Amino acid sequence: MPRKIVVTGGTGYIGSHTAVELINRGFNVIIADDLSNSDTGVLEGIEKITGIKPGFKKIDLCSKKDTASFFSGLDRIDAVVHFAAFKSVAESVEKPLDYYRNNLNSLINVIDQMVLQGIPNLVFSSSCTVYGQPDILPVTEKSPVKKALSPYGNTKRVCEEIIEDVSVSGESLKSVVLRYFNPIGNHPGALIGELPRGKPNNLVPVITRTAIGKYDELKVFGNDYGTPDGTCIRDYINVTDLARAHVAAIDRLVSGKNENCVEVYNVGTGKGISVLELLKAFEKAAKVSINYSFADRRPGDIEKIWADPSLANKKLNWKATTNLEETLASAWEWTLNCREKGIL
Ligand code: WQD
C-alpha cells in the first residue's frame, strides 16, 4: 500500500512542486488548499508531469469544523506536509492580524486533527527569516532565532514554537521543520510554476516580468550594503531541490530514523549570491538584457544571509544539486509560457 500524504497548500508554488516529487516517489498525495492564491489548473499540471492526478479538497483550514470533517473523512494518513499559509512579507506588515489569524489557526487546526486521528508525522514549511540578520555566516540551525522583522516572519517563528510545545506536551507527534532560504525557478517543462497574484515582490518574478517588458526596469533595492558589490546577498535554492528536501524529511519520519521529536533543518545551497550577481546570471541564462537602476534600500531587508546546509546533507541525505543558470532558465521558460498563454 502506498503511503498517504496530505499536502496542505499543495496548489501553491512550493506545495505543487513537492506534490510532484512525492508522487514521483510513489506516495499517494491528497492536496488541501483554499485556492486563495492558486487555482485548480495546477492539478492538471501535476497530472501532466506525473501521470497521476492527486486527490484534492478545497478547504479553509482556518475553519476548525471544516478541518475536522476533512481529516475524519480520510483513511490512514501517514504524514502531513503543511504549506498552507499567507506568505507576503510586505502584506503582512499592512495586515498583521490576517497573517497571525491565518498562519497560526491553520497550523493549530491541522495539528489538532493529526493528534485526534493519530497521524504521526508532520513536515512544516518554515523560513530563514527566523534568523533575522545573523551575526555569523553561514547560519546553522543553532544560530539564534531573532525577533522577526515582519509579522510574516514572526508567524513562522511562533509556528515553530507551537510544534515544539506540542511535542514537549507528550503528544506522539514527530516533526521536521524545514527553514527555506530563497526558492526560485520552476519545474522544467513549465507545466507548474510560480504565479503570484498581483504585483510580485520577490526578485526573480520581478526580473522575469521586466524581461518580458511588463515593467520598464528592475529597481535594485540598495547598493550601499556592506557586501562586495553593495547589494544584498541571499541563498537562492531551486524549488525542485527544495521539494526533494520534503520527500527526504518524509522518508526520515516514516522510517523512524528521526533522532528527536522535532528536527530543524536549513534548506539552502550554502552559497550566497548578490542581487547583481543574480541579475547577471539571469541575463546569461535567458540571453536577454535587463534594464535596472538602483533605488533606496527596501525597509525590513536584511543585508546578507546564506545557509550552512550540512545538517540536512548529512541527516536527510539531501543536497541542492541544480545549478543557478539551469534554475533561472526554468524561471524564464515558465514566464515565456505564461505570456504565450496570456496569463502574464
Ligand atoms: C531578494 C533580494 C531584495 C525585488 C524571501 C521571502 C521570504 C523568505 C525569505 C520564505 C533582496 C532584492 C527584490 C526587487 C530587489 N522566504 N530585490 N528588487 O526578501 O529575501 O525574502 O525569502 O519564507 O518570505 O519573501 O526575497 O526575493 O523579495 O528579495 O532589489 O524588485 O532582492 O531587496 O535583497 P527576501 P526577495
Side-chain angles (χ1 to χ4, degrees), residues 310-325:
S310 52
L311 192 68
N313 298 163
K314 189 167 156 215
K315 301 281 183 185
L316 296 179
N317 196 19
W318 167 91
K319 204 172 176 4
T321 53
T322 316
N323 71 43
L324 185 62
E325 203 170 322

Side-chain angles (χ1 to χ4, degrees), residues 14 87-90 125-129 150 152-153 156 179-184 199-207 210 217-222 225 231-236 273-275 278 293 295-298 300-303 305:
I14 307 170
K87 63 171 188 178
S88 160
V89 173
S125 154
S126 190
S127 165
C128 66
T129 52
S150 69
Y152 162 77
K156 291 294 174 186
R179 290 180 179 156
Y180 311 155
F181 284 70
N182 288 50
I184 59 168
K199 193 177 187 304
N201 292 306
N202 294 120
L203 181 59
V204 170
V206 176
I207 290 178
T210 308
E217 62 171 10
L218 165 77
K219 295 230 174 291
V220 175
F221 298 136
Y225 285 100
T231 66
C232 292
I233 295 179
R234 299 287 185 274
D235 183 335
Y236 295 95
I273 306 271
S274 75
V275 175
L278 191 90
S293 67
D296 288 345
R297 291 182 177 197
R298 186 172 67 176
D301 264 346
I302 56 163
E303 182 173 83
I305 186 166

Side-chain angles (χ1 to χ4, degrees), residues 9-269:
T11 51
Y13 173 46
I14 307 170
S16 57
H17 285 81
T18 301
V20 164
E21 296 307 311
L22 286 167
I23 294 169
N24 283 344
R25 276 288 307 279
F27 290 102
N28 184 343
V29 169
I30 300 138
I31 289 174
D33 201 302
D34 68 356
L35 301 176
S36 61
N37 198 22
S38 58
D39 61 66
T40 51
V42 175
L43 300 170
E44 284 148 36
I46 295 172
E47 187 179 10
K48 277 187 192 143
I49 295 167
T50 62
I52 292 170
K53 195 163 188 169
F56 176 73
K57 174 78 181 166
K58 181 173 185 295
I59 178 176
D60 177 5
L61 295 165
C62 288
S63 157
K64 189 172 177 179
K65 193 166 145 265
D66 293 354
T67 308
S69 99
F70 168 65
F71 276 97
S72 61
L74 299 172
D75 197 28
R76 207 190 53 79
I77 299 298
D78 294 282
V80 175
V81 188
H82 183 57
F83 290 104
F86 291 162
K87 63 171 188 178
S88 160
V89 173
E91 189 183 54
S92 79
V93 176
E94 285 159 27
K95 302 175 182 170
L97 292 179
D98 286 358
Y99 271 67
Y100 286 111
R101 193 179 295 113
N102 186 65
N103 293 5
L104 302 191
N105 282 340
S106 59
L107 176 74
I108 292 167
N109 289 340
V110 166
I111 296 183
D112 237 358
Q113 289 309 309
M114 291 179 70
V115 169
L116 264 172
Q117 310 284 337
I119 303 170
N121 304 307
L122 171 69
V123 178
F124 178 67
S125 154
S126 190
S127 165
C128 66
T129 52
V130 300
Y131 296 119
Q133 175 58 67
D135 300 319
I136 300 169
L137 287 163
V139 273
T140 73
E141 293 77 358
K142 290 204 170 72
S143 300
V145 165
K146 295 189 175 165
K147 180 166 173 23
L149 292 172
S150 69
Y152 162 77
N154 226 13
T155 66
K156 291 294 174 186
R157 184 180 61 77
V158 176
C159 283
E160 287 195 10
E161 287 175 5
I162 291 172
I163 292 167
E164 189 73 47
D165 289 345
V166 172
S167 293
V168 170
S169 77
E171 296 295 354
S172 59
L173 185 74
K174 296 181 297 167
S175 308
V176 168
V177 170
L178 300 179
R179 290 180 179 156
Y180 311 155
F181 284 70
N182 288 50
I184 59 168
N186 303 286
H187 194 274
L191 289 164
I192 55 171
E194 184 175 21
L195 202 58
R197 287 205 173 142
K199 193 177 187 304
N201 292 306
N202 294 120
L203 181 59
V204 170
V206 176
I207 290 178
T208 54
R209 281 161 178 73
T210 308
I212 58 167
K214 221 173 144 56
Y215 307 137
D216 293 338
E217 62 171 10
L218 165 77
K219 295 230 174 291
V220 175
F221 298 136
N223 64 339
D224 56 353
Y225 285 100
T227 58
D229 66 17
T231 66
C232 292
I233 295 179
R234 299 287 185 274
D235 183 335
Y236 295 95
I237 174 161
N238 177 281
V239 69
T240 294
D241 285 345
L242 174 59
R244 287 184 185 139
H246 296 78
V247 180
I250 294 280
D251 278 344
R252 184 165 169 88
L253 288 169
V254 298
S255 61
K257 287 195 187 128
N258 60 305
E259 292 150 33
N260 300 295
C261 291
V262 183
E263 294 187 339
V264 178
Y265 296 102
N266 283 344
V267 189
T269 65

Side-chain angles (χ1 to χ4, degrees), residues 321-343:
T321 53
T322 316
N323 71 43
L324 185 62
E325 203 170 322
E326 209 178 307
T327 302
L328 291 170
S330 73
W332 183 226
E333 185 189 14
W334 166 250
T335 308
L336 291 176
N337 201 28
C338 288
R339 188 180 56 174
E340 214 165 89
K341 287 188 184 148
I343 309 171

